[in-house]
Short mmCIF file of all heavy atoms in Angstrom, two decimals:
data_model
loop_
_atom_site.label_atom_id
_atom_site.label_comp_id
_atom_site.label_asym_id
_atom_site.label_seq_id
_atom_site.Cartn_x
_atom_site.Cartn_y
_atom_site.Cartn_z
N GLU A 245 87.14 187.60 -34.60
CA GLU A 245 86.46 186.31 -34.48
C GLU A 245 85.48 186.27 -33.28
O GLU A 245 84.42 185.62 -33.36
CB GLU A 245 87.50 185.21 -34.24
CG GLU A 245 88.04 184.57 -35.54
CD GLU A 245 89.05 183.52 -35.24
OE1 GLU A 245 88.95 182.70 -34.30
OE2 GLU A 245 90.10 183.48 -36.03
N ALA A 248 82.32 188.00 -34.37
CA ALA A 248 81.51 187.15 -35.27
C ALA A 248 80.85 186.08 -34.47
O ALA A 248 79.68 185.74 -34.64
CB ALA A 248 82.42 186.56 -36.36
N ALA A 249 81.55 185.47 -33.49
CA ALA A 249 81.03 184.32 -32.74
C ALA A 249 79.82 184.79 -31.89
O ALA A 249 78.83 184.12 -31.77
CB ALA A 249 82.09 183.68 -31.88
N VAL A 250 79.97 185.99 -31.22
CA VAL A 250 78.86 186.53 -30.45
C VAL A 250 77.65 186.79 -31.29
O VAL A 250 76.53 186.42 -30.99
CB VAL A 250 79.31 187.81 -29.61
CG1 VAL A 250 78.10 188.46 -28.97
CG2 VAL A 250 80.36 187.42 -28.55
N ARG A 251 77.91 187.48 -32.42
CA ARG A 251 76.79 187.87 -33.30
C ARG A 251 76.09 186.64 -33.83
O ARG A 251 74.90 186.67 -34.09
CB ARG A 251 77.31 188.76 -34.44
CG ARG A 251 77.69 190.12 -33.84
CD ARG A 251 77.90 191.20 -34.89
NE ARG A 251 78.21 192.46 -34.25
CZ ARG A 251 79.06 193.32 -34.72
NH1 ARG A 251 79.69 193.16 -35.84
NH2 ARG A 251 79.31 194.48 -34.06
N ALA A 252 76.85 185.53 -34.09
CA ALA A 252 76.23 184.35 -34.66
C ALA A 252 75.67 183.46 -33.56
O ALA A 252 75.18 182.34 -33.87
CB ALA A 252 77.29 183.60 -35.43
N GLY A 253 75.72 183.85 -32.29
CA GLY A 253 75.22 183.02 -31.23
C GLY A 253 76.08 181.81 -30.96
O GLY A 253 75.62 180.82 -30.38
N GLN A 254 77.35 181.81 -31.41
CA GLN A 254 78.21 180.68 -31.18
C GLN A 254 79.08 180.81 -29.93
O GLN A 254 79.89 179.95 -29.62
CB GLN A 254 79.13 180.53 -32.43
CG GLN A 254 78.33 180.10 -33.66
CD GLN A 254 79.15 180.32 -34.89
OE1 GLN A 254 80.21 180.94 -34.89
NE2 GLN A 254 78.63 179.82 -36.02
N PHE A 255 79.01 181.94 -29.29
CA PHE A 255 79.75 182.17 -28.04
C PHE A 255 78.93 183.08 -27.18
O PHE A 255 78.33 184.07 -27.65
CB PHE A 255 81.10 182.84 -28.34
CG PHE A 255 81.84 183.13 -27.04
CD1 PHE A 255 82.58 182.16 -26.44
CD2 PHE A 255 81.70 184.37 -26.44
CE1 PHE A 255 83.26 182.45 -25.23
CE2 PHE A 255 82.34 184.67 -25.23
CZ PHE A 255 83.15 183.69 -24.64
N PRO A 256 78.74 182.77 -25.85
CA PRO A 256 79.32 181.62 -25.15
C PRO A 256 78.46 180.37 -25.40
O PRO A 256 77.32 180.46 -25.77
CB PRO A 256 79.24 182.02 -23.73
CG PRO A 256 78.15 183.03 -23.63
CD PRO A 256 78.04 183.74 -24.93
N THR A 257 79.11 179.21 -25.17
CA THR A 257 78.38 177.97 -25.18
C THR A 257 78.23 177.41 -23.81
O THR A 257 78.69 178.02 -22.83
CB THR A 257 79.15 176.88 -26.05
OG1 THR A 257 80.40 176.67 -25.40
CG2 THR A 257 79.39 177.39 -27.48
N ASN A 260 81.25 177.43 -21.56
CA ASN A 260 81.67 178.69 -20.94
C ASN A 260 80.73 179.21 -19.89
O ASN A 260 80.85 180.36 -19.42
CB ASN A 260 81.85 179.81 -22.02
CG ASN A 260 82.46 179.33 -23.27
OD1 ASN A 260 81.91 179.22 -24.30
ND2 ASN A 260 83.79 178.99 -23.12
#
Side-chain angles (χ1 to χ4, degrees):
E245 267 180 42
V250 171
R251 291 193 177 143
Q254 292 164 350
F255 177 85
T257 63
N260 315 110

